[in-house]
Amino acid sequence: MRKTVLSLMSVATLALAGCNNAPSTSPSTDAASSTSTDTAVATKVANEVSGTISVRGPVQPSANAQLVINLADVSSDAAGAAPLASKTSPAGTFPQPFQLTFNPADVKPDHLYVVKVVVTDGDRHFVMPIQAPVLAKGNKNDGVSIELIAEQTQGEKVLAAFTADQKQLGAMKVTHGTKLEPNASRGWQLFRQAGEIQFIRELVDYGDKGFTSTDYAYKDGKVWAVVQQTMANSGAKPSSIDRAGWSDDGTLVLKQHEVGSDVQTLDDDMAAKLHRQAMDILSLATNGKNK
């Protein structure tokens, strides 16, 4: 009996020794490993914002366009603050990826951050119609999708306003006039709305030297847009169309010379000539009163 008891005790002792030598699977060790991994992932995301930029619509930036990307704090108490990250480069083609790296220590958890993208292409700007929030407040940092649209240029805005006013001529009060000159026969219609001169349409027949049909638009007695069609005779299709328009401060912003389907830049001398024509016909049609 004594030998049996000793044998059982020996087995128990060996079993305990085996347990003590087994690899440890402490829950605290697993948690530490998981936390370390999560921290590494968070750090990777927290110092970088990335995504894709695309341009919507048929108008695309030219080879001369410039792309500017900013990671900005747009919180109310961050007005004037420098971007957390910024990048300027030739625009290239779209869609295209982007990546901005910044210092995570600069991020304030309670602030609002967005990616701002703008493409400048001469007079035209491509802008974001929808903001792209990132970083704090649960917003993601990668896979950010940014879409740009082309804004109207100042010249296009002038032309759109000119065309809209042109469509209202039928509702305006109209007076007529003519003048026979040595080398041309000139006729015009003057359109008023609420007593103010809005438009003058001038037709000039130069005989075998051609024919022009010109619409002049005015605001407060000042020229703001001119569209002139040049043709072989009054019944022919235009051989060219010149368009000029000025902003409120007098800057020439619309300058187009169209021949067929080719639209070129109207030169400054021709734009100045159209402006002089507009003032001359205004004086002629109002007997020098210009109103």
Side-chain angles (χ1 to χ4, degrees):
M1 179 66 68
R2 182 180 181 88
K3 289 181 179 180
T4 301
V5 172
L6 288 175
S7 297
L8 290 174
M9 290 181 65
S10 298
V11 170
T13 301
L14 290 173
L16 287 174
C19 290
N20 289 337
N21 292 330
S24 173
T25 55
S26 168
S28 61
T29 302
D30 290 345
S33 175
S34 175
T35 301
S36 176
T37 301
D38 291 345
T39 300
V41 173
T43 300
K44 180 179 179 181
V45 174
N47 70 350
E48 181 182 290
V49 170
S50 62
T52 304
I53 305 169
S54 60
V55 176
R56 184 176 73 199
V59 180
Q60 295 287 313
S62 74
N64 299 320
Q66 286 290 113
L67 170 67
V68 177
I69 312 173
N70 285 320
L71 175 58
D73 186 343
V74 293
S75 305
S76 57
D77 58 347
L84 271 68
S86 183
K87 183 179 293 185
T88 300
S89 65
T93 57
F94 295 89
Q96 63 174 266
F98 77 92
Q99 184 181 65
L100 291 174
T101 304
F102 59 94
N103 183 359
D106 294 334
V107 178
K108 300 177 181 179
D110 58 338
H111 278 212
L112 177 62
Y113 299 91
V114 299
V115 176
K116 290 185 174 183
V117 179
V118 63
V119 170
T120 302
D121 190 9
D123 295 334
R124 189 184 303 282
H125 292 83
F126 295 80
V127 298
M128 299 169 56
I130 301 175
Q131 282 193 334
V134 291
L135 301 183
K137 299 188 176 180
N139 295 308
K140 65 179 184 178
N141 301 351
D142 57 345
V144 180
S145 180
I146 293 175
E147 189 175 64
L148 304 177
I149 60 171
E151 284 189 324
Q152 280 187 315
T153 65
Q154 288 298 310
E156 289 171 340
K157 290 177 183 178
V158 167
L159 184 57
F162 174 88
T163 303
D165 284 0
Q166 199 177 41
K167 292 178 180 179
Q168 303 302 316
L169 294 182
M172 299 182 190
K173 183 179 178 179
V174 58
T175 57
H176 304 262
T178 60
K179 183 181 180 182
L180 185 61
E181 301 173 349
N183 300 314
S185 176
R186 190 180 305 273
W188 63 85
Q189 295 173 301
L190 184 149
F191 297 87
R192 295 179 186 270
Q193 189 172 50
E196 296 290 330
I197 297 172
Q198 303 292 319
F199 261 77
I200 296 177
R201 175 166 290 166
E202 180 188 41
L203 305 177
V204 184
D205 190 344
Y206 296 98
D208 59 0
K209 293 185 178 179
F211 186 94
T212 59
S213 173
T214 312
D215 280 354
Y216 305 95
Y218 304 85
K219 288 181 182 178
D220 301 322
K222 296 180 180 180
V223 185
W224 66 276
V226 179
V227 174
Q228 182 172 87
Q229 301 180 68
T230 300
M231 53 203 79
N233 55 64
S234 61
K237 292 183 178 180
S239 57
S240 67
I241 303 175
D242 291 325
R243 303 180 183 92
W246 295 265
S247 61
D248 291 341
D249 64 0
T251 302
L252 179 64
V253 293
L254 172 62
K255 34 190 175 181
Q256 295 181 354
H257 175 66
E258 180 178 340
V259 179
S261 59
D262 183 25
V263 179
Q264 305 167 1
T265 300
L266 183 70
D267 64 67
D268 291 347
D269 289 342
M270 185 59 187
K273 180 182 176 181
L274 293 175
H275 193 281
R276 287 194 301 271
Q277 288 179 197
M279 294 307 299
D280 289 344
I281 191 62
L282 177 64
S283 178
L284 178 62
T286 61
N287 296 316
K289 297 178 182 178
N290 289 3
K291 62 181 181 179

